Amino acid sequence: MITSATTYEDADVLVPWQIAKHVLTVGPDHINYRGGIGGVMNVYARHFSIYKCITTHKTTTHKWQLLPFFLGKYGSFVRTLQQDSAIKIIHIQASSHGSFYRKLVLFLTAKYGFGKQVIYHMHGSRFEDFYRKSDPVSKFLIRFLVEHTDMVIGLSEHWRDFFKQNFQVRRLEVLGNVIHRLDSEITYSPPATNGLLNVLFLGAIGQRKGIFDLLDVLREHRDAFEGRLLLRIGGNGETERLQAYIAEHKLETLVQFEGWVSGEKKHELLTISDVYILPSYHEGLPISILEAMYYQLPVISTPVGGTAEAVQEGINGFLVTPGDKAALYDRLLKFMVQPDLVKTMGAASGRIVSRYLPDTIFAQLSDIYKSMLAEPA
């Protein structure tokens, strides 16, 4: 039983039936998603002729529900492998911590129970810390999975280097995240409000994404930003802490919290913004940055994970050390006093992001699948 065999009639088929029928993807919910992996999988579903997929994790406020949910989906996974003889490749969309242990069960079942080829596609921004800080038993399990899977896919050269330096991987490939191409091209749009630099943050509200560092900068330099900058924040996570901070420091004229945004609301916010900002401490390759680049926005971020391969210092944005509030202030000020940077760097973002669009990514992915299918069982 396949949880989702999705087809999108309005999308270009970039992974044809002859390949797609042999691939079963497992990962988080890709329809009602609230995370980067689900977003990537949603784009996959739009461009596979048929997308065979089993959802093994969902967003919930009740953590106790996750184990029975996974066990039910594990049963579906086993039945699917028993009934669908066309499946040759299990494409595991992976992260760290709890995700690792769920995917370990699926890996062992697929590889040793059914003799399938397995791709371990690592998206987790904290996988490096997860590995280094694990106890000896967990480290052994991590090494076993990574070194016995048929292929590891990393999101960037940074992650390729990490896996090469720490594991004896059978085969290692780099495949960037992919973003959905809109029906009409995005063009540069002027500021939504005259005299304001419109800055956008989208992501999980919490320390890892650096949002509270950014708020500290606005609070500490209120006089420089008042009437000249507006920060819009969209996301989930520690929203009560965020709103309390805004209220306590009376930042309502500088900051607007938009709640969780997706679809038309996200399109609206990206369209009216001038600069995208994500001062994270850990990242894989942020989908939100790629989406912002597609809307021709310059980016302020940090050189963590694969971010420095998408955001090129001084070309389509600025990279600052995580936690460097003085540098965040300086880069925001640059965009305020040199407004032409918004347009020139934004145009550069539009050029650079082409490598993360479906035509490019799915050509690479199809080649990966075909090479694996050509290998003898």
Side-chain angles (χ1 to χ4, degrees):
M1 174 184 176
I2 298 176
T3 301
S4 175
T6 312
T7 57
Y8 288 86
E9 294 180 358
D10 61 336
D12 293 330
V13 172
L14 298 177
V15 181
W17 169 260
Q18 292 85 347
I19 297 174
K21 67 180 180 180
H22 296 300
V23 181
L24 175 64
T25 301
V26 293
D29 187 354
H30 70 282
I31 298 174
N32 300 308
Y33 62 90
R34 288 202 171 187
I37 304 178
V40 169
M41 292 170 61
N42 183 272
V43 183
Y44 278 36
R46 293 175 180 272
H47 294 284
F48 280 53
S49 56
I50 182 170
Y51 192 54
K52 297 181 178 181
C53 176
I54 291 181
T55 298
T56 57
H57 182 72
K58 65 177 181 178
T59 301
T60 178
T61 55
H62 304 292
K63 297 297 184 182
W64 62 267
Q65 295 178 339
L66 294 178
L67 180 58
F69 178 82
F70 172 72
L71 292 176
K73 296 302 182 181
Y74 176 72
S76 298
F77 178 71
V78 171
R79 289 191 295 275
T80 297
L81 295 184
Q82 290 172 334
Q83 297 168 9
D84 190 344
S85 60
I87 294 172
K88 307 297 181 186
I89 298 170
I90 309 302
H91 191 156
I92 295 177
Q93 305 286 355
S95 186
S96 54
H97 299 86
S99 171
F100 167 78
Y101 296 104
R102 291 190 297 272
K103 304 305 169 47
L104 175 64
V105 174
L106 300 175
F107 163 74
L108 294 172
T109 302
K111 182 71 176 173
Y112 300 106
F114 289 90
K116 306 298 182 182
Q117 295 191 77
V118 180
I119 297 173
Y120 193 62
H121 193 160
M122 177 48 62
H123 296 264
S125 61
R126 293 180 289 174
F127 186 77
E128 184 172 354
D129 278 353
F130 171 61
Y131 173 67
R132 297 191 191 285
K133 296 177 181 179
S134 288
D135 59 76
V137 173
S138 295
K139 270 192 173 179
F140 170 81
L141 294 174
I142 295 168
R143 295 192 67 86
F144 183 87
L145 191 162
V146 171
E147 295 183 351
H148 287 80
T149 196
D150 297 276
M151 179 187 297
V152 173
I153 294 179
L155 299 179
S156 64
E157 295 298 329
H158 167 89
W159 289 103
R160 183 208 293 270
D161 292 343
F162 166 74
F163 283 109
K164 284 181 67 173
Q165 292 166 9
N166 292 278
F167 303 94
Q168 297 295 318
V169 182
R170 293 184 179 185
R171 181 177 170 187
L172 181 60
E173 297 287 345
V174 172
L175 184 71
N177 276 333
V178 63
I179 56 173
H180 181 53
R181 184 191 291 276
L182 297 181
D183 294 334
S184 58
E185 290 299 315
I186 300 298
T187 56
Y188 172 77
S189 57
T193 307
N194 288 335
L196 285 179
L197 182 73
N198 294 278
V199 181
L200 179 64
F201 171 100
L202 297 174
I205 308 301
Q207 196 59 42
R208 182 174 72 85
K209 295 287 187 178
I211 183 59
F212 291 101
D213 291 340
L214 179 57
L215 292 176
D216 284 345
V217 171
L218 298 188
R219 174 178 56 82
E220 293 165 6
H221 301 277
R222 178 192 300 271
D223 291 343
F225 293 128
E226 194 71 61
R228 302 177 66 191
L229 178 147
L230 177 64
L231 170 66
R232 293 181 175 90
I233 299 172
N236 57 0
E238 297 179 51
T239 57
E240 292 183 2
R241 177 186 173 193
L242 172 70
Q243 292 172 296
Y245 187 106
I246 294 170
E248 178 184 353
H249 299 289
K250 299 180 173 58
L251 294 177
E252 292 86 353
T253 57
L254 290 172
V255 183
Q256 289 183 13
F257 177 51
E258 305 286 347
W260 172 257
V261 297
S262 60
E264 286 301 317
K265 182 63 175 179
K266 182 192 288 188
H267 172 69
E268 176 191 344
L269 291 177
L270 286 164
T271 300
I272 66 175
S273 295
D274 301 308
V275 175
Y276 185 76
I277 190 164
L278 191 72
S280 299
Y281 285 77
H282 302 280
E283 286 294 349
L285 178 60
I287 290 295
S288 64
I289 283 181
L290 302 182
E291 290 176 335
M293 289 170 58
Y294 186 50
Y295 280 75
Q296 299 189 37
L297 299 184
V299 178
I300 300 173
S301 191
T302 53
V304 295
T307 302
E309 293 169 39
V311 182
Q312 299 176 14
E313 171 66 25
I315 304 298
N316 68 315
F318 298 111
L319 296 168
V320 304
T321 303
D324 189 341
K325 300 176 188 179
L328 284 176
Y329 169 64
D330 177 76
R331 303 317 186 265
L332 287 169
L333 203 60
K334 279 185 185 296
F335 283 116
M336 289 197 304
V337 300
Q338 301 179 58
D340 287 348
L341 284 178
V342 172
K343 188 169 184 177
T344 57
M345 286 189 167
S349 282
R351 293 192 297 271
I352 293 168
V353 80
S354 62
R355 71 184 69 161
Y356 303 104
L357 294 179
D359 289 354
T360 301
I361 295 298
F362 288 116
Q364 298 172 15
L365 182 60
S366 292
D367 286 343
I368 287 172
Y369 286 153
K370 285 188 283 189
S371 69
M372 295 184 73
L373 292 171
E375 295 177 2

